[in-house]
Amino acid sequence: MKTVLSFTNSGLHENKWSRFLLHSLFALLLVVSVSSCGAIKPVEDPEKENDYSLHSFSFDASINGAAGMTSSSLVRINPKSNLIYFTVNEGSDLTKLIPTVTSGEGTRIYINGAPVESGKSVVDFSETSTLVLESEDGRINKYLICGKTGNRAIDDAVYNLMIRYDIPGVSISANVDEELAYSYGYGFANTVTKERVTPNHLFRLASISKSQTALCIMTLIEQGKLKLSDRLFGEGGIFEEELGTDLVDGAENVTVQNMLEHASGWKGEHIFSNYINGSAVLRGKDVLGRMKYVVQNVPLTYQPGTRYSYYNMGYGLLGEVVKKISGKEYEDFLREDVYAKAGVKDIWCGGDQFHRRENEVVYYSQDGRDGYGNDMELIQSLGGLIASGPELMKVMASIDYGTKVPDILSKETLDVMYTPSVASPGQYSKGWRTNHTVFTNWENYHGGNLAGTATLWYRSTDGTAAVILCNSRNYESYFDTALFDVLAVIQKNVKNL
């Protein structure tokens, strides 16, 4: 006789043979699950049994006894990249720290290939370290650890920025009363080689370059070779020979001052775009070639000097003014005639990925933008310079009316450079932003935005100045606000170091 099991809409039907079979199966399962003492073993949670995730990572001051280490360390973990950032107080010995690491039961802990007993083993964290958590069945979680000494409040702001906005590497430097007071690198200059950022790494400055170009122009004015009122186009203009005299209406009135203050009268991106009205008329042209087309074909939107309209092309042309009036290449004039007086040496015009300087970071793209898509030679005077944080702080100390460090421009020239334009109104001077609505004691500041690059620097009435340099740019709406917030934390804490 066959055993029959059948399912219908009314449920399970069974005969005596099927009942016997079900009872037998139940008995067999009971025997398998009973231990030798007769107790039923609970079903193990395989996730709990094999938990080898990182629960916590810290340095307890009472264990480490590190000099100046008065509280637990600052640790931030980026779960997206398995990166651990930490800061211990100044005076702590990074070569002799005892980490407390917690994970699942039975997890084996290794740092830099050596087994570690949590809360007991002494580890050298002076270089990038590797943490491996290995489960009992051989599976692993791997983390990279970037540790440093420093100020916890400042570093917390930097770490949060890096994690929130996917920034691989950051450099910050800050002055107090014209002296460098805080300068550190964070994360990676190169994510492939794991080269760590140092304060002396070079970063693209993006539009902070405009402040440097303004210094070149003001230097030429002090040398008596140029005036703010000098006209750029048309008969008697600086570029009469190169650009001709057949101009759109009003172009003959544009001055050096108008370009410095973004009040040229033109509106649009004539340096970054090859297209005007859908036609690739600017493709392959250098700065003067582009400006020639603009000045002869693109009508002014406003009368020169009457309205503010941020115009990158204007600062591209100011770089050409520097070259023509000085008789030197833009980079040479900047280094020899401007920054040599401040002892600044490591500032350059940047190049593409094939011409990266030895101490320059790599730039990382986000949101589909190409971090190496810009022609750095074309934009050198408006966004193409590279420099380190400490060198920029030397620059700031030499243009701040201070007494410890001699200024490279006279007070009268600095007054002219920093005076807000009537066209802005009052929000932009000559290569500098002014009158911030939140940070009201920031006398001057400027930010920078290129694919793969984000920068911001300021100088304040309280005697502080600071810069943040990033080797990536995020395009979420609050990213630029986050840069301001980091500098605000630096300003709040740097005077107490």
Side-chain angles (χ1 to χ4, degrees):
M1 180 181 294
K2 294 182 178 179
T3 300
V4 179
L5 290 173
S6 64
F7 292 88
T8 68
N9 290 337
S10 60
L12 174 65
H13 295 275
E14 54 181 307
N15 55 29
K16 63 181 180 180
W17 298 105
S18 64
R19 186 182 298 113
F20 172 76
L21 178 60
L22 288 172
H23 288 172
S24 300
L25 289 172
F26 178 79
L28 178 61
L29 289 171
L30 186 60
V31 169
V32 171
S33 63
V34 174
S35 67
S36 59
C37 63
I40 298 177
K41 293 180 65 177
V43 177
E44 298 287 352
D45 180 354
E47 292 296 325
K48 183 177 181 181
E49 181 180 341
N50 297 297
D51 178 13
Y52 57 106
S53 61
L54 179 62
H55 294 179
S56 67
F57 183 95
S58 64
F59 301 93
D60 192 283
S62 63
I63 296 174
N64 284 270
M69 196 170 180
T70 58
S71 61
S72 297
S73 58
L74 166 68
V75 176
R76 291 290 177 262
I77 301 174
N78 187 342
K80 291 181 288 186
S81 58
N82 275 21
L83 262 173
I84 300 172
Y85 303 106
F86 78 79
T87 296
V88 291
N89 289 1
E90 297 283 11
S92 302
D93 187 350
L94 289 174
T95 68
K96 297 177 181 179
L97 291 178
I98 301 174
T100 298
V101 185
T102 63
S103 183
E105 185 177 352
T107 299
R108 293 178 288 271
I109 303 169
Y110 302 89
I111 297 180
N112 298 330
V116 168
E117 187 175 358
S118 178
K120 295 183 179 180
S121 299
V122 178
V123 179
D124 181 355
F125 288 102
S126 59
E127 303 291 340
T128 304
S129 302
T130 302
L131 166 67
V132 172
L133 302 176
E134 183 179 18
S135 68
E136 290 180 312
D137 59 3
R139 290 179 292 173
I140 65 171
N141 269 325
K142 183 178 179 180
Y143 296 80
L144 289 180
I145 306 172
C146 297
K148 63 182 290 294
T149 60
N151 179 272
R152 294 175 60 202
I154 293 174
D155 289 2
D156 193 28
V158 177
Y159 294 148
N160 288 334
L161 175 84
M162 296 172 71
I163 293 170
R164 174 67 179 83
Y165 295 104
D166 296 323
I167 309 298
V170 169
S171 176
I172 64 169
S173 292
N175 280 357
V176 175
D177 296 331
E178 301 186 290
E179 294 181 352
L180 191 64
Y182 199 77
S183 186
Y184 280 104
Y186 304 77
F188 296 113
N190 186 325
T191 60
V192 175
T193 65
K194 304 306 178 188
E195 177 187 357
R196 293 276 291 276
V197 175
T198 70
N200 293 322
H201 268 96
L202 301 172
F203 286 72
R204 288 179 177 175
L205 302 186
S207 284
I208 288 181
S209 302
K210 292 181 174 67
S211 302
Q212 323 313 315
T213 297
L215 292 174
C216 290
I217 295 295
M218 302 313 290
T219 297
L220 287 170
I221 290 173
E222 277 208 347
Q223 292 176 348
K225 299 177 181 179
L226 187 68
K227 298 189 295 295
L228 287 175
S229 59
D230 284 347
R231 294 183 301 104
L232 294 166
F233 313 116
E235 187 175 346
I238 293 173
F239 295 109
E240 176 186 2
E241 181 180 349
E242 293 85 353
L243 306 184
T245 56
D246 183 15
L247 313 175
V248 297
D249 289 345
E252 70 279 2
N253 297 321
V254 178
T255 67
V256 170
Q257 180 170 348
N258 296 152
M259 288 300 192
L260 280 169
E261 296 177 343
H262 293 293
S264 67
W266 278 290
K267 187 177 182 180
E269 285 297 352
H270 302 135
I271 192 81
F272 286 110
S273 175
N274 291 319
Y275 295 86
I276 295 181
N277 296 328
S279 179
V281 294
L282 302 181
R283 188 184 300 278
K285 291 182 169 61
D286 60 12
V287 172
L288 286 178
R290 287 167 183 255
M291 198 70 235
K292 184 173 184 177
Y293 182 88
V294 170
V295 79
Q296 293 182 355
N297 298 278
V298 180
L300 276 71
T301 307
Y302 316 111
Q303 286 298 311
T306 63
R307 294 283 295 274
Y308 169 86
S309 182
Y310 198 85
Y311 192 52
N312 280 300
M313 185 70 197
Y315 271 80
L317 189 68
L318 289 173
E320 297 300 316
V321 171
V322 172
K323 291 163 65 175
K324 181 164 185 179
I325 301 301
S326 71
K328 296 182 177 182
E329 290 299 312
Y330 171 81
E331 180 185 75
D332 293 338
F333 183 81
L334 179 68
R335 287 171 51 79
E336 296 169 6
D337 290 62
V338 180
Y339 287 147
K341 294 181 289 185
V344 174
K345 299 178 181 179
D346 205 11
I347 185 167
W348 313 86
C349 292
D352 59 22
Q353 65 265 50
F354 304 110
H355 298 88
R356 183 169 68 96
R357 288 189 170 269
E358 184 177 356
N359 61 328
E360 184 180 0
V361 300
V362 175
Y363 305 100
Y364 295 94
S365 311
Q366 294 194 41
D367 196 34
R369 316 292 179 94
D370 184 359
Y372 284 96
N374 290 304
D375 184 335
M376 299 303 290
E377 182 177 359
L378 184 70
I379 67 169
Q380 59 182 8
S381 58
L382 65 99
L385 295 176
I386 59 175
S388 69
E391 292 288 81
L392 289 171
M393 288 298 95
K394 286 183 185 178
V395 174
M396 198 66 91
S398 68
I399 53 173
D400 66 349
Y401 301 99
T403 57
K404 288 184 179 179
V405 178
D407 285 336
I408 60 177
L409 295 172
S410 69
K411 179 185 181 301
E412 292 72 24
T413 302
L414 290 175
D415 286 344
V416 171
M417 182 174 70
Y418 290 135
T419 298
S421 166
V422 296
S424 37
Q427 299 299 309
Y428 203 91
S429 55
K430 298 165 184 65
W432 300 86
R433 296 190 182 278
T434 61
N435 297 327
H436 197 284
T437 56
V438 176
F439 305 108
T440 54
N441 62 356
W442 286 18
E443 291 187 286
N444 304 100
Y445 66 100
H446 213 296
N449 170 15
L450 283 176
T453 306
T455 64
L456 182 66
W457 73 338
Y458 82 90
R459 73 178 187 92
S460 172
T461 57
D462 68 359
T464 67
V467 62
I468 181 169
L469 307 168
C470 307
N471 66 349
S472 186
R473 161 162 283 279
N474 188 285
Y475 290 90
E476 294 184 28
S477 57
Y478 291 102
F479 175 68
D480 289 292
T481 300
L483 293 179
F484 279 89
D485 290 342
V486 172
L487 289 191
V489 172
I490 294 173
Q491 183 178 13
K492 179 179 178 181
N493 288 276
V494 72
K495 295 190 79 170
N496 298 320
L497 297 180

